[in-house]
Amino acid sequence: MSSHRWYLDRDGQIAGPYSIEELRYLRDRGMLTARDELRDGPAGSPLSAGSLADLFPEKSPATANDATERPADAQGNHAGSAPRRSAQPAAAPAPPPHLPGARRPQSGSYGVLPGVATAAGVILVTALILWLVWFLHLRFTGAGAGASGSGTVNTANPPRTDAADSSLPAAVHSAAIAPADDTPAGQPSPSGTATFFGVSGKGSRIVYIVDCSGSMAGEPLDKARAELLASLYRLGSKQEFFVFFFNDASFPLTMPGGPGRKLLPATRANVLHAQQWADQFSGSGGTDPGQSLLDALALEPEVVFLLSDGEFSFRTVTEVTRQNRSQITINTIGFLNRSGERQLKAIARNNGGEYRFVP
């Protein structure tokens, strides 16, 4: 009978299967009584636990019959039966894996939850990796959007997130800035001059001021940026430069080595850094070159190039002329639109420069 696998039926709840050893374990701990019902199989007919001689020999019918058929000796031993041993507790069998009332899992169900957990873990790890890649991309390509003269980040003109211009050198789009060296950026302009949209200025200290307002968005800004980079590549090794972009606010070129603002030698590394920085701007906001012009004069350059496609206040003309005590040459370019032509012509005329309209 020990080969059977029994099921315990309590109030219609079937638990099991149990071996006869497991049932004895429950019996010895008061968790199984002779009145409990057992089934020989999940759908077998119920019978009382007390009817099993292997569990309750004193209550089973077979044991009772044997007791009437075999007389007992003085010690209570029946004829033909083994003498009773002195009462010593038998070693308890190992605890059954399932106590009454707990259903054993059906075959094939063990691997379902671990499989779901594994899939969820893979999805979570993948999402974290993608987020990290995205964060690093923004960290290294968005740091150069520039700050205004007050040190605040430009929120009106966020960095461009579209694909980089494939016509620029690959080094432009690298997050790392090449170490500064003395290699000239390109073929120098004759006699230490600088040229921007056909307007020339003679000098070794050059500042460029470029409009990035909303009306410059798209192709106009791309064209202005391309000409700026071409002009920078033409600078000689003994020339220095700086760049401002502006809309409602001023955005100075970020320094390769950290905070500060000064003219940079026109080495290949510095020009590549300026390319990367300039490529982050898209057109947005209004038009006010005043702060950029005043900050440019503070750098004491020899030549300034100002490019704009919009109208701005005549107060800028008056203030820049008043502050230009060193008589720095300011050349101006009206770009695609003549709405600000009067102001641009006045700045060039008052500061010894040249005006040109680029259609």
Side-chain angles (χ1 to χ4, degrees), residues 172-259:
V172 173
H173 309 296
S174 170
I177 304 302
D181 55 41
D182 295 329
T183 305
Q187 294 297 325
S189 301
S191 303
T193 61
T195 304
F196 189 45
F197 277 112
V199 180
S200 296
K202 185 176 177 60
S204 60
R205 298 166 60 83
I206 316 296
V207 173
Y208 300 84
I209 304 174
V210 179
D211 191 339
C212 65
S213 60
S215 56
M216 289 286 290
E219 184 177 354
L221 186 56
D222 289 341
K223 184 177 179 181
R225 183 170 24 237
E227 177 60 24
L228 168 66
L229 299 179
S231 179
L232 291 175
Y233 272 110
R234 289 192 295 265
L235 295 178
S237 59
K238 295 183 179 180
Q239 291 177 290
E240 297 177 316
F241 74 92
F242 199 83
V243 183
F244 293 88
F245 274 32
F246 72 91
N247 50 21
D248 299 298
S250 176
F251 308 105
L253 172 66
T254 57
M255 301 298 291

Side-chain angles (χ1 to χ4, degrees), residues 181-352:
D181 55 41
D182 295 329
T183 305
Q187 294 297 325
S189 301
S191 303
T193 61
T195 304
F196 189 45
F197 277 112
V199 180
S200 296
K202 185 176 177 60
S204 60
R205 298 166 60 83
I206 316 296
V207 173
Y208 300 84
I209 304 174
V210 179
D211 191 339
C212 65
S213 60
S215 56
M216 289 286 290
E219 184 177 354
L221 186 56
D222 289 341
K223 184 177 179 181
R225 183 170 24 237
E227 177 60 24
L228 168 66
L229 299 179
S231 179
L232 291 175
Y233 272 110
R234 289 192 295 265
L235 295 178
S237 59
K238 295 183 179 180
Q239 291 177 290
E240 297 177 316
F241 74 92
F242 199 83
V243 183
F244 293 88
F245 274 32
F246 72 91
N247 50 21
D248 299 298
S250 176
F251 308 105
L253 172 66
T254 57
M255 301 298 291
R261 189 181 305 172
K262 64 179 181 179
L263 295 172
L264 300 175
T267 63
R268 182 171 299 275
N270 287 335
V271 172
L272 288 176
H273 171 60
Q275 285 183 322
Q276 183 184 22
W277 173 84
D279 192 51
Q280 297 177 82
F281 288 89
S282 59
S284 65
T287 304
D288 183 5
Q291 188 62 53
S292 293
L293 281 165
L294 295 178
D295 289 344
L297 295 178
L299 294 175
E300 299 182 349
E302 295 175 76
V303 179
V304 174
F305 292 102
L306 168 64
L307 179 146
S308 180
D309 74 336
E311 186 177 7
F312 50 91
S313 173
F314 259 98
R315 290 196 300 271
T316 298
V317 178
T318 303
E319 183 64 15
V320 169
T321 302
R322 186 175 67 85
Q323 293 291 337
N324 189 12
R325 301 182 183 90
S326 300
Q327 297 183 344
I328 298 167
T329 299
I330 303 178
N331 297 312
T332 59
I333 296 100
F335 193 58
L336 305 179
N337 190 317
R338 294 184 182 271
S339 61
E341 189 169 61
R342 288 197 308 152
Q343 291 91 325
L344 292 172
K345 283 184 175 180
I347 289 176
R349 181 177 60 251
N350 295 346
N351 297 277

Side-chain angles (χ1 to χ4, degrees), residues 125-146:
V125 171
T126 302
L128 289 175
I129 292 174
L130 291 176
W131 177 86
L132 180 60
V133 171
W134 174 80
F135 173 80
L136 291 176
H137 170 75
L138 293 184
R139 171 65 179 85
F140 288 110
T141 62

